[in-house]
Amino acid sequence: MFFRLSTLLKVEIALTVLSVSCFGQVAATTKPIADGRLESWELREEAPADANPLPVDRGAAALWQSLRKLHTRASMLMVTAHPDDEDGATLTYESRGEGARVALLTLNRGESGANVMSPDLFDALGLVRTEELLAADRYYGVDQYWTRVINDGFSKTKEESMSHWTRDRVLADAVRVVRLTRPLVISSVFIGGPSDGHGNHQVAGEMAQEVFRYAGDPKMFPEQIRAGLRPWSPLKEYAEVPRARVTEQGVYDYATHHWAPARAFDYIHEQWQPWPLDANVIVPTGRQDPILGVSYAQLSREGLGFQRSQNGGSSIPASGEMFSKYHRFASLSPAGDKEGSFFDGIDISLMGIASLVKKGDPTFLRQHLLEINEFVEQAMKEFDSRHPEKTAPLLASGLKATTALIAEVSASNLSDDEKYDVNHELRVKEAQFEKALGESFELSIMPTVASNHESDPPIAGFGETPESFLMAIPGQQFAVNVHIDNPNSTPVELEKVELLTREDERWNVTPTEIASSILVNNKPENHRFQVTVPQDASFTRPYFSRTNVEQPYYDIDDQQFLNRPLAPYPLTAWATFRYQNVVFNLGRVVQSVHRITGLGTVMEPLVTGPALSVSVSSSRGILPLTAQSFPIEANIHSNVKGPAKGTVRLELPPGWTSSPASTEFSTDKDGDDRLVLFSVTPSHVREEPYDVTVVAEYNGHQYREGYQTAGYRGLRPYNLYRPSTYRVTGVDVKIAPKLNVGYVMGSGDKVPQALESLGVNLTFLAAPDLASGNLSKYDVILLGVRTYAVRDDLRANNSRLLDYVKDGGVVVVQYNTPEFDKNYGPYPYTMTNDPEEVTDEASKVEILDPDNPVFQWPNKIGAKDFEGWVAERGSKFMSKWDPRYQPLLETHDPEQDPQKGGLLYARYGKGAYVYNAYAFYRQLPEGVPGAFRILANLVSLSKNPQFNSSMRSMNTTKGQ
């Protein structure tokens, strides 16, 4: 890991490493040494990754919030299941309103959720939702942690989720986060029962109570203790009072659509609690903050609005009273039935740090804490929003006193455990003092990638920073400009500017140090560095991965980053300042600079990656047994800063050949893409998988993997790497010849690529096509995922689709959310706002009408076609329909009513209308054979002899 090494006194005991995040919080990270234990540590500050702080985190508003934090030792950890589950209003109130140190533990990254913003699914969607939650966290003012488990589909029960994840795997990670962050209070949005709905939610509710019970037990997960962590027992545990519907039947479980007894299980005391649960704490989230200018609920909803992939974004509520109600499940401190805050009965003053000393004499500690507290209280009294620098002398004195106290505690006769506990909280205060001191002067640091010309600093009067490249590659040389400013009239000495990289990599950075100078009166300095990336530089990529989408947890590829959102970015600038003989530091991740039409200048953290990214259009697919050849489209993306020439070839199964066998490629500049098309001739294809790998060679190196950039415009992107291997499975699949298919793309899916692999001629239908184009030329029109949620033109021209069906066409509607529940079909139907899902991908499927044309031609569909599915069977099943719709399949989860509304077929006029809730959009990219065979039959329907024969029969009957 790379961090700014403080010049402060080293503490010679194994402690948690603290870092200051971009939210102004203090987060816990760890640095293992060779034998896996945590290293004895110095303070390490993790620099913010965002180019600029939020408006509420600038100027006097930022300083006032830091003073609030300095005045309390309150700390809280909230546990949830998925991104967007969190009670952001409460998080914001506690962090920004009460000054608490707040962390959020999200069990998984939402990999199997919906995505209305981009075609990213599974692990790529997990990265999208990771970045969305990190964007929201900036508004909440919290630090973010994750466990290693993944969202492997909609889970209906806690038992189902636990069977995939295993209790110990989830609990171990959750306990580790508690031992890292050491909160006084644990909270959760969920209680661990049917009122939570989703099984993942129920696990999160249980885990919040389980970590309260077990994190302080050294016998639980002793490997964490051996690694250097210490047990920690939070003092109180709360959960939000459930909002589930309750009637005489009990509490409604929206996951199973069943009623359950209205009660809550107390996992801490192992007993049932009666319903309704008391609201012991009511958090006034609608309270207006005069410094921030909004209520905590409003600010949190601004953040929640960045979590768009599930629903396109949220709205900001009008001002007014809003509350969050929490029930207390346990407290180790005195607490009444009605509490004013989560921290009632806990000494959250700075002097309360002395309560961590249980056996030794805390007298010296109380005296020094009282002195430090006086500095903070005096700074709060002298706070002036027009002159924030007035607090600087007091903050400098407080920082100096805190540093001295850390040294005194380390040298004291307190036990090792007491030193660990006390110094953890003192290090938090030390880091908060440093941050506040920088804010009092409104100091800023902006490191950006520069060109190799000396005229790189921003143009005077315009503040424009020249565009740069986005990805650094091994061996590359480039410049970084670090812009530092003190707009205040009080001088601050700039002692040193550094560029820091990972400690385990030897980056060449010159100069390494810069002579000290005085910053004052808005006269910035620009410091320039020349950087050479080492040949063995690691790439900016997730520290976690899994072998396939069915694995319900990630393998941790780099243990030092466990529980963190992502691996750190590679290059950080740090400035060391001195004021009144007190040293403090400010840092920021080096940013790349580029322009995006509509967004303007965009700064994103500089990342490292390969000279060439080699990828195939799809990682999995099928090969009809009768295929004579099939195409493979390889994409070579160059990150070389200039021209590049190389060769590309395929590694093939024995006996297979390609044309060409090998070919040259060339790119002109950084960012160029070259598509290389191979025609592969297979040999003796059987119903089994085969691997074809694209290999590019350039400058003496081979490249066998590529990356996709997950995300969408306005969201900070992140790269997901995968091998440049196409796994193709031999499948006995046929399709009608010379099909002409129209496709209406929705929120994004990879069904079109699947159709192309079947040899289908595909046309994407745009708004003019739907409004006035000739639809009759298409044999079938497929509607993509969530089309009715994102395509205004489709909704407006839906009647033209029905006319197309009436005249003999076939329309197939794929997975759509309740936006579709407006009778867009030829006959009435009902989905409901809470539609059924069948989450067990192995659930038994019954074919209700085996003689239906859908199952007969050109492929005979049977039970085998429903084997090997991934993630789920389907979602958004119809609940009711006109009898002119014919249900074709039935499936259900355990204890779920039979679901027949997943594949509905209706004749309308001369054509057919099909609604399909089965998750083809998940199966096809994973190469599931049966999904291809069923899809082939659906798109072939208009040429199906049986289909046309029945139509002729209907017409004959009408004529008689």
Side-chain angles (χ1 to χ4, degrees):
M1 295 168 68
F2 64 94
F3 292 99
R4 174 68 169 92
L5 299 183
S6 172
T7 57
L8 305 180
L9 181 66
K10 185 173 183 179
V11 183
E12 295 297 341
I13 53 178
L15 291 176
T16 301
V17 177
L18 298 179
S19 67
V20 178
S21 79
C22 58
F23 320 122
Q25 298 288 94
V26 177
T29 58
T30 57
K31 182 177 186 299
I33 54 179
D35 63 1
R37 292 179 298 106
L38 300 185
E39 184 188 44
S40 299
W41 58 285
E42 298 172 345
L43 178 63
R44 291 167 168 84
E45 301 170 0
E46 183 183 353
D50 298 283
N52 294 296
L54 298 176
V56 293
D57 289 325
R58 299 174 187 171
L63 175 59
W64 180 248
Q65 291 175 87
S66 290
L67 292 174
R68 281 175 174 167
K69 291 183 179 300
L70 280 166
H71 196 237
T72 181
R73 62 181 286 253
S75 57
M76 183 175 79
L77 172 71
M78 181 176 285
V79 182
T80 65
H82 314 104
D84 77 17
D85 286 346
E86 65 278 355
D87 178 4
T90 291
L91 293 172
T92 307
Y93 174 84
E94 294 299 333
S95 174
R96 296 187 180 276
E98 297 298 297
R101 175 170 56 89
V102 182
L104 175 60
L105 170 60
T106 307
L107 297 189
N108 65 61
R109 300 169 189 260
E111 293 85 349
S112 290
N115 188 357
V116 74
M117 295 299 296
S118 69
D120 299 301
L121 293 175
F122 297 116
D123 297 4
L125 176 57
L127 292 179
V128 170
R129 297 189 71 183
T130 293
E131 291 289 3
E132 287 180 332
L133 181 51
L134 290 174
D137 286 339
R138 299 181 71 202
Y139 289 79
Y140 307 153
V142 305
D143 289 301
Q144 182 67 52
Y145 297 88
W146 266 277
T147 73
R148 74 190 75 198
V149 300
I150 63 101
N151 176 9
D152 57 347
F154 188 87
S155 174
K156 295 187 175 181
T157 66
K158 182 184 66 175
E159 291 72 23
E160 180 186 355
S161 293
M162 286 289 203
S163 69
H164 295 164
W165 292 345
T166 72
R167 177 177 177 274
D168 278 359
R169 180 177 288 116
V170 186
L171 184 58
D173 276 1
V175 164
R176 187 175 190 273
V177 171
V178 171
R179 289 169 174 174
L180 284 167
T181 58
R182 309 174 79 72
L184 295 172
V185 169
I186 301 289
S187 69
S188 177
V189 174
F190 307 112
I191 65 169
S195 63
D196 300 331
H198 199 307
N200 289 183
H201 295 173
Q202 296 182 46
V203 173
E206 178 181 340
M207 285 299 110
Q209 296 187 45
E210 298 276 20
V211 293
F212 177 87
R213 183 177 180 182
Y214 291 120
D217 183 353
K219 296 179 182 178
M220 290 295 292
F221 310 111
E223 69 279 2
Q224 297 177 6
I225 309 302
R226 291 192 296 270
L229 288 176
R230 299 292 175 96
W232 177 255
S233 295
L235 298 181
K236 302 173 85 174
E237 201 283 335
Y238 296 85
E240 191 171 9
V241 174
R243 303 175 187 178
R245 183 155 52 105
V246 180
T247 69
E248 293 179 353
Q249 298 173 272
V251 61
Y252 182 68
D253 181 348
Y254 74 81
T256 63
H257 299 279
H258 293 161
W259 296 88
R263 57 183 182 176
F265 191 72
D266 180 342
Y267 295 90
I268 298 170
H269 302 100
E270 297 184 321
Q271 61 187 23
W272 291 99
Q273 290 196 10
W275 206 275
L277 296 178
D278 295 332
N280 302 108
V281 172
I282 300 177
V283 183
T285 57
R287 181 179 296 172
Q288 196 84 359
D289 189 306
I291 297 293
L292 303 181
V294 293
S295 73
Y296 304 109
Q298 288 174 316
L299 185 57
S300 73
R301 287 287 285 275
E302 284 189 56
L304 182 63
F306 284 87
Q307 301 195 62
R308 302 182 178 113
S309 60
Q310 299 299 286
N311 54 25
S314 63
S315 60
I316 299 175
S319 62
E321 280 192 334
M322 293 183 70
F323 302 95
S324 292
K325 299 179 180 181
Y326 280 80
H327 173 75
R328 186 183 67 242
F329 276 98
S331 179
L332 302 181
S333 299
D337 288 339
K338 298 298 180 182
E339 300 179 278
S341 82
F342 292 120
F343 304 100
D344 278 14
I346 303 174
D347 186 353
I348 57 172
S349 69
L350 293 192
M351 287 69 72
I353 295 175
S355 65
L356 297 170
V357 177
K358 305 297 184 183
K359 298 178 180 179
D361 183 1
T363 303
F364 79 97
L365 187 57
R366 289 197 187 97
Q367 293 172 344
H368 290 303
L369 288 169
L370 182 61
E371 176 191 8
I372 293 168
N373 186 66
E374 288 174 352
F375 288 128
V376 175
E377 292 192 343
Q378 189 61 34
M380 297 181 81
K381 289 178 183 178
E382 296 189 13
F383 173 78
D384 183 343
S385 62
R386 296 168 300 174
H387 296 284
E389 75 280 1
K390 287 183 178 180
T391 61
L394 292 162
L395 293 171
S397 297
L399 174 57
K400 184 177 182 179
T402 303
T403 302
L405 181 55
I406 291 170
E408 189 170 349
V409 168
S410 301
S412 71
N413 292 324
L414 299 180
S415 69
D416 285 349
D417 284 342
E418 289 171 333
K419 290 178 182 180
Y420 188 109
D421 293 342
V422 170
N423 271 339
H424 183 278
E425 297 211 20
L426 290 178
R427 289 286 186 177
V428 169
K429 294 299 140 192
E430 185 181 45
Q432 290 175 345
F433 268 120
E434 285 201 67
K435 182 174 182 291
L437 190 52
E439 290 167 344
S440 71
F441 293 109
E442 299 181 82
L443 296 171
S444 66
I445 175 171
M446 175 57 69
T448 55
V449 175
S451 70
N452 289 319
H453 303 291
E454 289 296 333
S455 59
D456 275 332
I459 302 170
F462 293 93
E464 291 289 340
T465 303
E467 285 194 79
S468 71
F469 60 87
L470 303 181
M471 177 177 284
I473 64 175
Q476 182 183 348
Q477 296 181 348
F478 62 94
V480 170
N481 181 71
V482 183
H483 181 86
I484 304 173
D485 185 34
N486 173 21
N488 207 278
S489 59
T490 301
V492 176
E493 182 181 358
L494 175 62
E495 279 198 343
K496 183 169 55 176
V497 183
E498 299 174 291
L499 285 186
L500 295 184
T501 62
R502 286 181 54 139
E503 293 177 349
D504 57 352
E505 295 180 0
R506 294 185 176 274
W507 291 54
N508 186 1
V509 179
T510 57
T512 56
E513 294 188 10
I514 293 179
S516 63
S517 59
I518 301 298
L519 291 178
V520 67
N521 287 333
N522 217 20
K523 295 178 181 178
E525 290 189 6
N526 288 284
H527 295 277
R528 190 179 188 85
F529 296 83
Q530 291 294 325
V531 178
T532 302
V533 185
Q535 290 292 343
D536 62 349
S538 58
F539 299 158
T540 308
R541 64 197 305 168
Y543 66 85
F544 45 86
S545 64
R546 54 179 174 157
T547 56
N548 58 68
V549 298
E550 287 292 275
Q551 183 173 312
Y553 58 90
Y554 287 117
D555 297 316
I556 304 303
D557 303 321
D558 196 333
Q559 289 288 332
Q560 63 180 320
F561 304 133
L562 177 60
N563 303 131
R564 296 184 61 179
L566 298 164
Y569 291 101
L571 196 58
T572 307
W574 284 96
T576 300
F577 300 94
R578 183 179 293 272
Y579 171 72
Q580 292 191 351
N581 207 32
V582 173
V583 173
F584 61 102
N585 306 285
L586 291 179
R588 193 167 294 278
V589 168
V590 173
Q591 305 286 306
S592 63
V593 184
H594 61 124
R595 287 191 60 79
I596 299 177
T597 301
L599 296 179
T601 297
V602 174
M603 292 188 180
E604 296 168 354
L606 175 68
V607 299
T608 50
L612 298 179
S613 170
V614 183
S615 58
V616 288
S617 57
S618 180
S619 61
R620 293 176 184 267
I622 60 97
L623 178 63
L625 297 183
T626 57
Q628 299 300 307
S629 65
F630 66 95
I632 284 190
E633 188 178 81
N635 184 63
I636 312 298
H637 177 82
S638 176
N639 295 310
V640 179
K641 309 307 183 275
K645 292 184 178 181
T647 60
V648 59
R649 59 182 173 83
L650 301 181
E651 287 185 347
L652 297 164
W656 292 29
T657 60
S658 70
S659 178
S662 176
T663 187
E664 294 184 349
F665 71 89
S666 65
T667 58
D668 298 325
K669 61 185 183 303
D670 183 15
D672 277 358
D673 286 282
R674 292 292 181 266
L675 292 179
V676 181
L677 187 64
F678 292 90
S679 178
V680 177
T681 301
S683 176
H684 306 297
V685 178
R686 295 182 292 271
E687 292 186 75
E688 61 185 39
Y690 301 88
D691 287 346
V692 178
T693 300
V694 182
V695 182
E697 296 189 14
Y698 161 72
N699 200 25
H701 296 276
Q702 289 189 349
Y703 298 87
R704 298 169 175 267
E705 69 173 356
Y707 59 84
Q708 70 176 93
T709 300
Y712 48 84
R713 279 174 52 126
L715 181 71
R716 186 169 69 195
Y718 205 80
N719 295 325
L720 177 66
Y721 284 77
R722 66 184 185 190
S724 53
T725 296
Y726 177 55
R727 169 155 285 195
V728 58
T729 300
V731 176
D732 183 11
V733 58
K734 305 175 185 66
I735 195 163
K738 299 180 180 179
L739 280 175
N740 195 11
V741 177
Y743 200 88
V744 183
M745 181 63 79
S747 60
D749 58 64
K750 294 184 178 181
V751 176
Q753 292 93 317
L755 289 168
E756 289 171 350
S757 72
L758 290 170
V760 169
N761 180 31
L762 190 72
T763 301
F764 289 98
L765 302 185
D769 300 309
L770 295 175
S772 58
N774 178 17
L775 301 181
S776 64
K777 63 183 179 181
Y778 300 108
D779 297 302
V780 62
I781 294 177
L782 263 69
L783 306 189
V785 169
R786 297 186 77 170
T787 45
Y788 285 90
V790 300
R791 292 288 294 263
D792 295 337
D793 57 327
L794 174 64
R795 296 192 297 271
N797 295 290
N798 188 73
S799 61
R800 293 199 74 232
L801 283 185
L802 297 183
D803 289 341
Y804 159 79
V805 175
K806 194 173 184 179
D807 292 338
V810 175
V811 165
V812 178
V813 181
Q814 297 185 84
Y815 162 81
N816 267 267
T817 42
E819 291 89 352
F820 182 61
D821 199 3
K822 293 179 174 60
N823 284 319
Y824 287 111
Y827 312 115
Y829 59 81
T830 301
M831 179 185 285
T832 78
N833 287 325
D834 189 17
E836 293 276 4
E837 309 192 37
V838 180
T839 62
D840 183 0
E841 62 269 30
S843 63
K844 182 180 178 181
V845 178
E846 180 184 357
I847 299 177
L848 300 176
D849 181 11
D851 295 329
N852 188 280
V854 169
F855 303 126
Q856 291 295 318
W857 188 88
N859 304 288
K860 183 77 170 178
I861 302 302
K864 184 178 179 182
D865 291 297
F866 297 95
E867 296 176 359
W869 283 46
V870 300
E872 63 185 2
R873 275 294 184 214
S875 179
K876 310 303 181 281
F877 283 56
M878 292 295 178
S879 61
K880 299 177 183 177
W881 51 87
D882 186 281
R884 285 169 288 189
Y885 289 106
Q886 180 184 359
L888 299 183
L889 298 174
E890 189 282 317
T891 189
H892 59 276
D893 287 324
E895 300 183 13
Q896 183 184 28
D897 295 334
Q899 297 300 307
K900 298 181 180 181
L903 186 62
L904 299 179
Y905 170 89
R907 299 305 301 256
Y908 180 61
K910 298 178 182 179
Y913 189 93
V914 179
Y915 174 73
N916 171 52
Y918 284 79
F920 285 0
Y921 73 102
R922 295 191 188 277
Q923 314 310 316
L924 298 171
E926 294 301 311
V928 175
F932 277 87
R933 285 166 48 84
I934 300 169
L935 179 66
N937 282 17
L938 288 173
V939 299
S940 301
L941 198 54
S942 66
K943 295 189 176 185
N944 186 320
Q946 182 182 348
F947 176 86
N948 291 308
S949 174
S950 64
M951 178 55 67
R952 286 193 296 270
S953 176
M954 289 172 61
N955 291 337
T956 301
T957 302
K958 289 179 181 179
Q960 295 174 345

